[in-house]
Amino acid sequence: IYSDMLQIMMFTLVPAGVITYLPVELIRAFSYEKLIYLILISALFVLLAFVFFGLGLRRYESGNQFSIKT
């Protein structure tokens, strides 16, 4: 669905930046502003995960369905 470059950015750059940069910066120079950014971005990732999972469930078709015809 997405181009290769967009997939690379979505699965590597953005999460890696949040996972590595923000917590390290928070430890090195604590500020409530950075803590709030970390919490908000983490909540955004969780929200997006729920949304995409829900959209995927709507489109899901099991290959394990069978019917018995009489």
Side-chain angles (χ1 to χ4, degrees):
I1 295 174
Y2 301 109
S3 70
D4 292 336
M5 186 55 88
L6 185 59
Q7 284 182 355
I8 290 170
M9 285 178 48
M10 283 190 336
F11 296 126
T12 59
L13 298 178
V14 175
V18 172
I19 290 170
T20 58
Y21 175 74
L22 280 177
V24 170
E25 272 301 306
L26 194 61
I27 292 170
R28 284 180 38 194
F30 182 81
S31 75
Y32 285 106
E33 181 181 354
K34 290 176 188 172
L35 179 62
I36 291 171
Y37 284 146
L38 182 62
I39 291 170
L40 289 176
I41 291 173
S42 298
L44 177 67
F45 278 132
V46 169
L47 177 67
L48 287 174
F50 275 105
V51 167
F52 282 113
F53 184 77
L55 290 173
L57 277 180
R58 286 188 200 151
R59 297 186 58 180
Y60 177 73
E61 294 181 19
S62 176
N64 196 17
Q65 293 178 356
F66 67 93
S67 61
I68 300 173
K69 296 183 181 183
T70 57

